[in-house]
Amino acid sequence: MGPLLPDSVRRHAVLRPDAPAITEAGQTLTYAALDSRSNKIAQALLAEGLEAGARVGFLVRPGRMSAELLLACAKSGLVATPLNWRLAEPELRAVALDAGLRMVIAQEEFQAGARAAMPELPLVTAGEPAPGASAYESWLEAAPDGDPGRGGEADADTVFLQLYTSGTTGLPKGVQLTLANVYAGETETTEAGWSEDSVSLNVLPVFHIAGTGWLASALSAGAHTVTLPDLVPQRVVDVLESERVTHVLFVPAVLQMLTQLPDIRERDFSALQLIVYGASPITPSLLRRSMEVFGCHFSQRYGQTETTGSVTRLLPADHDPDGPRAHLLRSAGNACPGAEVVIADLITGKPVPDGTVGEILTRSHHVTPGYWKRPEDNARLFTQEGWLRTGDAGYLDEEGYLFITDRIKDMVITGGENVYPIEVESALAEHPAVSDVAVFGTPDEQWGEAVTAAVVLNAGARDTSEDELIDFTRPRIASYKRPRIIHFVDDLPRNPSGKVLKHVLKRGLTGGDSDVS
């Protein structure tokens, strides 16, 4: 294993001190400055009395702070816990309590939410300090500029990152990730075409593994990362063109937005070398249109937070919509370097022959050591042989290409966000007019899937509207989890044990087949 993330940044700071590392809103941090500032933040965190393994929460958009805080935690032996600023206050507090956060760092716009959800925690804010809060720059400048020295080879298996993903019970689970988990080997770096001359665009928040992993890959390679605080399609296109971006990661919903811009085919994307896409299904028509518009290489990634983002990849050479292997575009590619993928029988857990559908299992150095304080969930996550159960179903062809056929966990993926139906069902069920509810995903051209609910109303509440129910969920769940479509039904089909037959429900409402049962 080569240099881990902190050592890579240290190396670039010595050999290429003036090379650009991170650009945000026109302001650039060099690798020397990024190394120095992350050292000072690490020292400031330790000065707060935090011991190794303590969880540090932060509410920050993509940008310089994201990189500084991730590196600072890795260098000091602390665990970075990025928080999803889109969560409602009860959801945010649930994550903070589960993680046992010791302090929180927040950009000014998130200060009020952080204080309301976590009033008992020390708060450091970027911007003007509020009573009881310390301004980020003052806090940083008061710290000594000395590297704590963590993050080298001896710390490869040390947890430095904890990302939260919902569970099938609707409760948040902290996925622990080590420095070795985010390490990208030479083969992976070469496949992606990363170099010290690469320019990466990152619009993905670090509370998603896609955002964290993409940032770590670029920094490890010594590339220049240009960031945007949020995803505004026209602004994304402007930056791709003006900054001569070479590498970017998008979810299919973003590609849909970009390719629909009226002037998109008039733009100059000649610098673009690679677009990586993943996190949700992509239609063949969207992929073909994206390849025509951007004129660069495309690579698909399949994975999840528990696998540090990637299990398989479909390389650019396999993106040939008019060639004899065009059918591979329906696949998720084959195993990433150093990863193993097998298909296991859903009942026996034994490997099945090529072409047979079963559960997708994987092993690699990217696989999480486990959930934070969840021994029962960890027992279900791993087989006795150490394979991680993805919860997805699929099959391998004779060449080792993975075709995903189902999502065992009932998850809805909308715009790259993971939504578990029970969270939405619980929120809707609180409405006094709702007697029964089931939530599932339905195909959506823009978002991949739309969160869809079938609702049985109480007698006497038949005038309750779709808009009323959607509005009711606003303070209870994040915006991306809210249902986009609500069907009112007389009852929900169930099997003898009482389980809702969602495939029957979906077929009756949409006229199509379902991958949920």
Side-chain angles (χ1 to χ4, degrees), residues 24 38 84 127 135 139 195 236 240 260 282 287 304 315 336 387 396 406 430 479 491 509:
E24 176 188 0
S38 59
N84 186 341
W139 176 72
S195 75
V236 169
L240 285 174
Q260 289 180 336
I282 190 169
L287 180 56
Q304 51 193 206
L315 295 173
C336 291
W387 293 91
L396 292 170
D406 206 345
E430 292 181 33
S479 59
D491 55 29
L509 293 173

Side-chain angles (χ1 to χ4, degrees), residues 140-182:
L140 181 156
E141 288 304 322
D145 185 2
D147 192 331
R150 299 291 299 271
E153 185 177 351
D155 293 310
D157 295 326
T158 298
V159 173
F160 88 107
L161 179 64
Q162 188 158 306
L163 300 179
Y164 272 81
T165 180
S166 295
T168 53
T169 63
L171 299 174
K173 289 186 290 190
V175 180
Q176 302 178 96
L177 298 174
T178 68
L179 286 165
N181 288 153
V182 301

